[in-house]
Amino acid sequence: MRKITIAKGDGIGPEIMDATLKILKAAGAQIETEEIEVGEKVYLSGNTAGISKESWEVIRRNKIFLKAPITTPQGGGYKSLNVTTRKFLGLYANIRPCMSLYPFVPTKHPVMDIVIIRENEEDLYAGIEHQQTDEVVQCLKLISRPGCEKIVRYAFEYAKQYGRKKVTCFTKDNIMKQTDGLFHKVFDEIAAEYPEIINEHWIVDIGAAKLADTPEMFDVIVMPNLYGDILSDVAAQIAGSVGLAGSANIGEECAMFEAIHGSAPRMVKDSANPSGLLEGAVMMLNHIGQTEVAEKIHNAWLKTIESGIHTKDLYREGSSIKRVGTAEFAEAVIANLGQLPETLKQVNYEKNRSIQLPKYQRAAPAQKTLVGVDLFLDYKGLNANELADDVKKLEKNSIILTMITNRGIKVWPEGFEETFCTDHWRCRFKTSNGSPFSNQAILDLMQRAIDTGFEVIKTENLYQFAGKDAYSLGQGQ
């Protein structure tokens, strides 16, 4: 018997959780539940995180968390509980299967059957933002080698476990050569360890277009956080409905399972489709090794869908047989336990096996050399040449100004007067003879800038790792 944590959430959450748990019990799932309260009521009690310290302790003790949708109040500095949970518990992998249920659920893609595996902790979702000048704010995109290795390896192990033939990587590394470039590089490295699985890489914009137009050409898709967040919803919708999709959030110690839709607080009672949360629960059962029960429930659910027993969101005159509420839909699934779908493809999970990944092993550090610094200035002038004349006065010994950019485009030397500039300028300093920089040289440079009257917003050190430049050039350079 496995103890799990559950939260019934807000809006439609309690009724779809009750329906899901009833199906799990009827199917013989060997689970014991421990309930916590999260969501709107906790938020409005004054807890901006939406969860108490005691509830955290329950989740961490049980390791497995099945969560219904919650409502996050508008305004007031309330934090997303989903994002918080993923980061605090190290839930690095988000898994979203998107399979067509045609002809019982309308879709333009009747043979679509893909799984999107999204990195869940970093990228722009690190949430590190600053306003730096009157005109410019920044959001830092953080991509780490451990983050890349864990999610890419999970994608290949998932494909191996579930008999998938191909893993595709989406990035934008033609533009973001350091961050998305690292993700692509790690993908290629790990793909080489799985020669039996086809691998390919797409630039995310054309990849997204192909996904929307021809999803059947994909199988498993792995990608950084932001792209995965957007495209997993797109994939779920074109498969038939976001309301049918479940989600798994997997970490090295803990895991959370949920529907991908919201709490729909205005929906009429006993009309919601519990399928999204039920699909999340099926993934939970597979994760804890109860694959036979997961298979039985999934096939019974498919049988129910093809039998025309549909909730309000799926019901269509002429094709559906009966319109039912949340509870009656659950009863229909229970009645079909032990049966197999006849039109839809039945599922067959490998018995009593869950995905096991090795813990990340940190490699020996590469040789790291400081070779320069970018000085970011809040400067209200609009002429890059005039700024360069003033900034060059900061040069001393062998330290020289080599480039000025504005919003990433090079504006000095040899800039274009047509380029629009804001009040946020990046001034790059290196040594004239290519010798290494020192931290003291950066401090001295900053002090000269401040003494001259420049407002220094921040600095970014320029490094080489193993002799290779590890920083972006200015666009147009």
Side-chain angles (χ1 to χ4, degrees):
M1 189 70 67
R2 181 65 182 267
K3 180 176 279 191
I4 68 168
T5 305
I6 65 165
K8 293 188 174 182
D10 304 308
I12 62 173
E15 63 190 56
I16 65 173
M17 178 62 81
D18 288 344
T20 297
L21 293 176
K22 191 170 185 179
I23 294 168
L24 264 61
K25 181 179 179 180
Q30 296 298 299
I31 59 171
E32 177 185 345
T33 62
E34 185 171 3
E35 185 175 351
I36 61 171
E37 186 168 36
V38 298
E40 187 173 37
K41 184 177 178 180
V42 181
Y43 280 121
L44 296 178
S45 72
N47 186 325
T48 57
I51 183 171
S52 69
K53 180 180 178 182
E54 292 74 22
S55 293
W56 276 127
E57 291 173 355
V58 173
I59 293 171
R60 295 174 69 194
R61 180 173 65 247
N62 294 332
K63 307 296 184 186
I64 303 298
F65 184 25
L66 180 63
K67 182 182 73 63
I70 66 168
T71 299
T72 303
Q74 297 295 313
Y78 299 111
K79 301 174 183 176
S80 166
L81 179 59
N82 273 358
V83 173
T84 301
T85 303
R86 291 165 183 163
K87 290 186 176 182
F88 276 0
L89 298 181
L91 308 182
Y92 64 89
N94 183 264
I95 299 92
R96 292 188 179 184
C98 299
M99 182 180 70
S100 165
L101 299 174
Y102 182 85
F104 309 102
V105 177
T107 176
K108 297 177 181 178
H109 309 287
V111 297
M112 177 180 178
D113 182 7
I114 66 173
V115 179
I116 290 184
I117 297 183
R118 160 195 172 195
E119 198 288 318
N120 221 16
E121 296 182 281
E122 33 188 62
D123 195 8
L124 293 168
Y125 283 53
I128 304 174
E129 298 184 290
H130 308 88
Q131 181 165 355
Q132 298 193 313
T133 69
D134 287 332
E135 297 179 340
V136 175
V137 296
Q138 74 169 11
C139 180
L140 298 182
K141 179 183 176 83
L142 300 181
I143 301 288
S144 73
R145 175 166 277 276
C148 295
E149 287 196 12
K150 288 194 293 184
I151 193 64
V152 172
R153 190 171 298 282
Y154 190 94
F156 278 94
E157 285 293 325
Y158 184 98
K160 184 177 177 181
Q161 168 78 355
Y162 290 97
R164 299 277 176 164
K165 305 301 183 185
K166 181 170 69 173
V167 178
T168 304
C169 175
F170 283 2
T171 72
K172 190 67 177 173
D173 65 332
N174 59 330
I175 303 297
M176 289 167 281
K177 299 180 186 299
Q178 295 293 318
T179 49
D180 281 24
L182 176 61
F183 198 97
H184 187 178
K185 181 176 185 291
V186 169
F187 176 81
D188 287 345
E189 291 172 357
I190 291 179
E193 300 178 26
Y194 297 84
E196 73 280 12
I197 298 173
I198 300 168
N199 71 85
E200 64 180 9
H201 172 267
W202 289 75
I203 297 299
V204 66
D205 42 10
I206 188 62
K210 288 291 186 181
L211 173 64
D213 178 69
T214 321
E216 57 270 17
M217 69 183 295
F218 299 108
D219 196 348
V220 174
I221 310 176
V222 63
M223 61 190 97
N225 203 337
L226 178 61
Y227 313 142
D229 190 9
I230 296 168
L231 293 183
S232 58
D233 276 10
V234 171
Q237 185 61 34
I238 66 175
S241 171
V242 171
L244 297 176
S247 172
N249 301 268
I250 308 297
E252 292 181 347
E253 297 291 335
C254 301
M256 176 174 71
F257 303 86
E258 58 189 344
I260 73 171
H261 58 73
S263 60
R266 290 181 292 276
M267 184 171 282
V268 175
K269 184 174 176 58
D270 194 37
S271 63
N273 189 336
S275 296
L277 187 61
L278 183 62
E279 287 297 287
V282 167
M283 286 189 274
M284 177 192 74
L285 291 171
N286 276 323
H287 181 73
I288 62 178
Q290 297 186 29
T291 51
E292 291 188 24
V293 182
E295 184 178 301
K296 183 192 298 185
I297 292 173
H298 200 159
N299 282 321
W301 175 73
L302 291 171
K303 180 68 175 178
T304 304
I305 295 294
E306 71 175 23
S307 298
I309 311 300
H310 295 160
T311 47
K312 177 183 177 181
D313 58 323
L314 299 184
Y315 183 83
R316 291 181 297 155
E317 289 284 351
S319 57
S320 299
I321 302 301
K322 184 179 182 182
R323 176 172 164 174
V324 296
T326 310
E328 193 172 354
F329 182 82
E331 292 293 345
V333 175
I334 291 170
N336 285 324
L337 288 170
Q339 299 190 52
L340 300 175
E342 297 175 6
T343 302
L344 296 172
K345 181 181 178 181
Q346 71 183 67
V347 297
N348 185 8
Y349 297 128
E350 188 170 341
K351 300 297 183 284
N352 300 314
R353 183 183 167 202
S354 59
I355 296 174
Q356 300 293 330
L357 297 183
K359 290 204 172 187
Y360 175 77
Q361 298 293 322
R362 181 167 282 120
Q367 182 181 358
K368 179 179 176 182
T369 306
L370 180 62
V371 295
V373 66
D374 283 342
L375 223 63
F376 289 78
L377 305 179
D378 183 341
Y379 175 77
K380 302 306 182 188
L382 297 177
N383 189 297
N385 292 324
E386 291 178 1
L387 175 60
D389 289 341
D390 289 338
V391 172
K392 283 178 70 68
K393 296 173 183 177
L394 305 179
E395 296 179 339
K396 187 175 181 180
N397 300 328
S398 64
I399 295 175
I400 61 171
L401 177 69
T402 63
M403 179 183 72
I404 298 176
T405 71
N406 195 287
R407 294 189 299 172
I409 188 74
K410 189 181 75 168
V411 293
W412 182 92
E414 300 177 350
F416 293 176
E417 61 182 28
E418 293 89 351
T419 303
F420 179 81
C421 294
T422 68
D423 56 2
H424 187 274
W425 306 78
R426 175 176 59 160
C427 303
R428 175 162 292 175
F429 289 86
K430 290 186 172 182
T431 55
S432 57
N433 57 7
S435 61
F437 241 64
S438 70
N439 288 315
Q440 187 60 52
I442 294 174
L443 293 174
D444 292 343
L445 176 63
M446 289 181 63
Q447 189 62 58
R448 291 197 299 276
I450 294 168
D451 292 343
T452 306
F454 286 111
E455 182 180 350
V456 179
I457 304 165
K458 67 167 186 172
T459 64
E460 288 288 347
N461 293 359
L462 307 178
Y463 289 105
Q464 289 182 343
F465 284 81
K468 294 182 179 181
D469 292 343
Y471 49 87
S472 62
L473 302 176
Q475 294 178 19
Q477 188 175 359

